Amino acid sequence: MNELKHIAMIMDGNGRWAQCQGKKRFVGHEAGSERVREVTRYCAEHPEIERLSLFAFSTENWKRPKLEVEFLMKLLSHYLEKELPTYLEMGVKFEMIGDASRFTPALQKQISELEEETKHGTRLIQHLALNYGSRNEILRAINSLKNSEMVTEESLGNALDCKHNVDLLIRTGGEHRLSNYLLWQSAYAELFFSDTLWPDFTSAELESIIARFKNIDRRFGGVK
Ligand code: IPE
Ligand code: IPE
Ligand code: MG
């Protein structure tokens, strides 16, 4: 049975979930943010799972209409403000990945405060990917190493925001693409694509994906 230390999720489909019901896209973002807790709790309650990396806002998402971006920033701030007790109760350590420098100083402060306040969480590390793009992450890592004589797989891997290989990557919302998410870390990840729109995704579906993951023959280029 495969070990499962790191799950990554592309939480996609909020907008379509709302539009299908004749509602505005922002209703879907709100519903989507409410789903994060259940999946995080499931992972925190399974000791084998050490990290859960959730894609919440990409470096490309700034291209969306100004009103949608503004709404997402407010929703994020609200989420960071209200979820502290839940993180503490679940024993989850929160760590952002991505480039925080494009956020307002107030939002940056909220992010570092939540990181600080949850730093003793031992049951799960939740990486929230915010203004995250793999190309941006890799470039920042390369620039931080430019005085090194020789960049190695190990030194570059350790200079990334997320330093851990992904075992299982799940994308909801029916698209079969990675959208610039954890490209380096997912080199050998098992990829699962679900048609479920993110606001409808449940821990029961996660559990059934994990059951399938467990039985995959992972060879990493070798033979078994
Ligand atoms: C994912 O849902 C959330 C973000 C990218 C912020 P979308 O907003 O991409 O929803 P769809 O894909 O348009 O349905
Ligand atoms: C990927 O979803 C980013 C997040 C889920 C945060 P998008 O909806 O932005 O991706 P594309 O545009 O379909 O590739
Ligand atoms: Mg989308």
Side-chain angles (χ1 to χ4, degrees), residues 10-13 16 55-58 60-61 64 129 171 175 177-179:
I10 302 177
M11 308 184 289
D12 194 27
R16 279 165 287 159
F55 205 4
F57 191 86
S58 77
E60 288 72 34
N61 288 148
R64 295 189 177 200
R171 180 176 187 137
E175 311 289 6
R177 56 176 171 258
L178 296 177
S179 302

Side-chain angles (χ1 to χ4, degrees), residues 1 37 47 56 64 90 125 131 142 147 154 158 167 201:
M1 293 265 262
R37 206 177 299 122
R64 295 189 177 200
M90 295 191 293
I125 297 173
N131 190 26
I142 292 172
N147 296 325
E154 204 189 353
N158 283 325
D167 297 305
F201 192 81

Side-chain angles (χ1 to χ4, degrees), residues 177-222:
R177 56 176 171 258
L178 296 177
S179 302
N180 199 13
Y181 192 44
L182 296 173
L183 301 181
W184 174 280
Q185 299 85 342
S186 296
Y188 262 104
E190 302 301 331
L191 309 181
F192 281 75
F193 299 96
S194 163
D195 287 335
T196 304
L197 302 172
W198 172 252
D200 287 333
F201 192 81
T202 60
S203 53
E205 183 169 354
L206 175 60
E207 192 161 62
S208 87
I209 293 174
I210 292 175
R212 281 154 63 203
F213 163 87
K214 284 282 172 183
N215 290 313
I216 293 172
D217 183 11
R218 301 189 81 192
R219 292 182 293 276
F220 299 97

Side-chain angles (χ1 to χ4, degrees), residues 77-125:
S77 163
H78 182 62
Y79 175 89
L80 297 169
E81 194 181 292
K82 78 174 186 354
E83 288 299 312
L84 173 66
T86 321
Y87 280 94
L88 295 176
E89 180 253 310
M90 295 191 293
V92 176
K93 179 173 174 178
F94 166 86
E95 277 180 15
M96 179 200 150
I97 55 172
D99 183 358
S101 66
R102 200 163 161 186
F103 295 135
T104 61
L107 195 51
Q108 290 183 38
K109 187 161 169 267
Q110 276 191 296
I111 292 167
S112 15
E113 278 171 3
L114 192 59
E115 287 177 333
E116 180 60 29
E117 284 159 339
T118 60
K119 70 178 179 199
H120 299 302
T122 53
R123 294 173 73 196
L124 180 79
I125 297 173

Side-chain angles (χ1 to χ4, degrees), residues 109-159:
K109 187 161 169 267
Q110 276 191 296
I111 292 167
S112 15
E113 278 171 3
L114 192 59
E115 287 177 333
E116 180 60 29
E117 284 159 339
T118 60
K119 70 178 179 199
H120 299 302
T122 53
R123 294 173 73 196
L124 180 79
I125 297 173
Q126 186 210 63
H127 295 293
L128 202 58
L130 300 170
N131 190 26
Y132 176 89
S134 277
R135 290 180 174 182
N136 171 281
E137 180 192 37
I138 292 168
L139 279 175
R140 284 186 286 108
I142 292 172
N143 283 319
S144 76
L145 294 171
K146 61 177 183 253
N147 296 325
S148 322
E149 242 169 53
M150 173 85 98
V151 176
T152 63
E153 223 174 90
E154 204 189 353
S155 68
L156 182 56
N158 283 325

